[in-house]
């Protein structure tokens, strides 16, 4: 059996960009030609955004460590990133949302498991997520990767 290839930070970043773009496209309102109503596929928007945020943080971490696992955004933020990376994400997040670091902590706790929970949204009666906060977090993670290593994560 061949050895498992080492995860590559650049490939991880490129894949994150793809899911981020997919999320943004899913968030665009589309006119239904039959009903005349506007709608957007919210679940794919949220799942793709959460996965993009995960991959951006993993791209940062893979510059220092050989492997990082898990889908929990809060765990990755608190354990896979170094202080400078967390500070940069927090700074971008505060600018994007006009909020404080405390808001990031609360929101991150709320959407930490968005990737796993929203993939199976049909299994629960009701689910809530602050989609603006999640999207701001993903953009903050993206901007942090670009700040840290614009030529190569």
């Amino acid at each position: 059996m061949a050895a498992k290839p080492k995860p590559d930070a650049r490939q991880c970043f490129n894949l994150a960009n793809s899911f981020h773009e997919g999320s943004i496209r899913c968030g665009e309102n589309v006119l239904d030609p039959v009903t005349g109503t506007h709608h957007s596929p919210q679940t794919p928007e949220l799942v793709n955004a959460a996965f993009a945020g995960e991959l951006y943080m993993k791209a940062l971490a893979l510059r220092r460590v050989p492997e990082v696992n898990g889908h929990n955004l809060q765990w990755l933020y608190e354990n896979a990133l170094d202080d400078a990376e967390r500070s940069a994400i927090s700074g971008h997040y505060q600018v994007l949302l006009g909020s404080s670091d405390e808001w990031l902590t609360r929101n991150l706790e709320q959407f930490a498991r968005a990737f796993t929970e929203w993939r199976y949204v049909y299994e629960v009666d009701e689910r809530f997520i602050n989609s603006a906060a999640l999207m701001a977090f993903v953009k903050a993670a993206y901007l942090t990767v670009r700040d840290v290593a614009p030529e190569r994560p």
Side-chain angles (χ1 to χ4, degrees), residues 24-131:
I24 291 167
R25 289 182 186 191
C26 286
E28 295 172 354
N29 280 324
V30 177
L31 177 64
D32 184 324
V34 176
T35 65
T37 60
H38 286 86
H39 61 89
S40 64
Q42 184 184 32
T43 299
E45 174 188 12
L46 299 172
V47 171
N48 285 333
F51 194 46
E54 171 189 331
L55 292 172
Y56 284 135
M57 288 190 285
K58 287 180 176 179
L60 288 166
L62 287 170
R63 295 169 38 253
R64 293 183 317 281
V65 299
E67 188 172 353
V68 60
N69 297 304
H71 296 298
N72 186 301
L73 298 178
Q74 184 176 21
W75 186 91
L76 290 166
Y77 180 81
E78 293 172 355
N79 297 286
L81 302 181
D82 64 26
D83 290 342
E85 292 160 347
R86 279 190 298 276
S87 178
I89 288 175
S90 176
H92 286 301
Y93 186 81
Q94 290 175 48
V95 168
L96 290 165
L97 277 185
S99 64
S100 66
D101 197 43
E102 292 80 31
W103 272 105
L104 171 59
T105 302
R106 277 193 291 236
N107 287 332
L108 191 54
E109 198 173 290
Q110 189 252 341
F111 59 67
R113 293 179 307 282
F115 178 70
T116 53
E117 290 178 351
W118 280 83
R119 287 183 306 174
Y120 303 106
V121 70
Y122 64 89
E123 295 178 350
V124 296
D125 290 336
E126 188 174 296
R127 185 164 313 277
F128 171 79
I129 191 167
N130 183 337
S131 59

